[in-house]
Amino acid sequence: MSPSSKLSSFQKELHALADQDTAQISSSFFKTGPGEYGEKDRFLGIRVPKIRAIAKKFQSFSLQDIEALLNSSWHEERLAGVIVLVETYKKASKQIQAEIFRFYLNHVTHINNWDLVDVSAPTIVGGSLLHSPRKTLDVLAASKNIWERRIAIVSTLAFIRENDFKDTLRISELLLQDTHDLMHKACGWMLREVYKRSPYTLETFLKAHAEQMPRTMLRYAIERMPERQRKSWLRVKTLPKTKTLA
């Protein structure tokens, strides 16, 4: 089966699962209204387990096929593209992994919603930078694009899993003044993962930065703490923000 016919068959099976009611729910959940973060995104209405099942069935795609999926206006096709890319990365040689990493960064504008980021960034970006210089994270964290900023922080989950916390703390500090709620949640999530492995590390970070942290970031970060300790941190008064990242 040629790459183009494989892709066509994959898309045909995927679209056959489309459900209008689920699509409407997804459109609301992923905030596709005017001015919202997912504005103009389109949904077929397919649950993630079904997307994974079809992606597993077809498995190997060329990067050209994956590029076509990432360029799709349909959210589920882009999600399928990153799922296939992640699974390909996991099984690939170091050389192919490096190629996938470059491909991912070159197509990052299409990794344009939080689920696409969260399913792919820790494996592809975090995995590629685990034993390499991490300046890429700083570039992404400084981006005006919210999804690139989210990639920067969520990628550090790969380091956290290796008990390496310094970049999670560093990128979280860089993003303290970010005004987007999805970034507050992402940073708080990563800080919570740090706490699960090293409570002292998070507590030290909070002592230095809790007053500057957006409330949502703080709430997410301390979620696993004992109730008394958590309430104590919630009594910290936050300072006004001094700059804006849209």
Side-chain angles (χ1 to χ4, degrees):
M1 182 180 287
S2 69
S4 59
S5 60
K6 174 182 278 192
L7 178 61
S8 178
S9 296
F10 174 81
Q11 290 171 314
K12 184 176 180 180
E13 286 204 26
L14 194 66
H15 282 246
L17 296 174
D19 180 89
Q20 186 175 0
D21 292 337
T22 302
Q24 289 178 348
I25 293 171
S26 295
S27 293
S28 176
F29 183 71
F30 285 98
K31 308 296 182 184
T32 61
E36 294 183 312
Y37 66 75
E39 184 177 2
K40 296 182 180 179
D41 205 353
R42 302 170 68 202
F43 288 83
L44 293 166
I46 308 169
R47 302 293 187 186
V48 174
K50 292 183 178 180
I51 297 172
R52 286 189 177 277
I54 296 180
K56 184 176 181 179
K57 176 181 176 181
F58 281 82
Q59 290 190 348
S60 59
F61 279 98
S62 67
L63 289 181
Q64 184 178 0
D65 285 339
I66 294 174
E67 183 175 43
L69 289 171
L70 293 181
N71 284 329
S72 175
S73 63
W74 293 109
H75 185 98
E76 289 89 345
E77 287 196 359
R78 299 197 308 282
L79 179 58
V82 296
I83 288 172
V84 171
L85 200 60
V86 166
E87 294 307 312
T88 302
Y89 181 94
K90 289 177 180 178
K91 301 171 186 176
S93 65
K94 293 295 183 182
Q95 181 179 353
I96 298 301
Q97 286 182 341
E99 184 179 353
I100 290 172
F101 176 55
R102 290 192 296 271
F103 174 88
Y104 186 90
L105 293 180
N106 287 336
H107 294 80
V108 74
T109 55
H110 301 291
I111 316 296
N112 56 357
N113 216 312
W114 59 263
D115 58 330
L116 306 182
V117 171
D118 296 357
V119 80
S120 60
T123 299
I124 296 175
V125 179
S128 296
L129 297 178
L130 195 56
H131 304 294
S132 302
R134 299 172 184 176
K135 291 182 180 179
T136 300
L137 297 182
D138 296 81
V139 175
L140 292 168
S143 173
K144 293 182 179 180
N145 184 302
I146 179 181
W147 309 121
E148 294 185 18
R149 302 198 305 274
R150 189 170 175 108
I151 288 170
I153 186 61
V154 174
S155 294
T156 70
L157 182 58
F159 315 148
I160 295 170
R161 288 168 175 163
E162 299 295 323
N163 293 315
D164 178 356
F165 311 128
K166 61 183 182 297
D167 287 285
T168 302
L169 303 179
R170 185 174 61 81
I171 299 300
S172 292
E173 185 175 355
L174 289 175
L175 295 171
L176 281 174
Q177 298 296 326
D178 199 302
T179 61
H180 204 295
D181 184 61
L182 285 176
M183 292 306 304
H184 304 166
K185 292 176 180 178
C187 291
W189 168 27
M190 291 301 105
L191 291 170
R192 184 174 70 235
E193 291 299 315
V194 169
Y195 176 81
K196 286 160 64 175
R197 293 159 177 83
S198 176
Y200 173 79
T201 300
L202 177 62
E203 288 160 12
T204 301
F205 181 86
L206 292 178
K207 287 175 183 177
H209 301 294
E211 290 183 347
Q212 300 168 288
M213 291 174 69
R215 207 66 175 172
T216 298
M217 185 188 299
L218 178 61
R219 287 183 179 277
Y220 269 58
I222 65 177
E223 193 175 61
R224 291 298 186 93
M225 287 183 175
E227 184 176 3
R228 184 174 179 179
Q229 187 180 13
R230 184 173 54 81
K231 287 183 176 180
S232 176
W233 282 114
L234 287 174
R235 287 194 290 270
V236 172
K237 293 183 179 180
T238 55
L239 300 174
K241 302 298 178 284
T242 58
K243 66 177 182 178
T244 299
L245 269 174

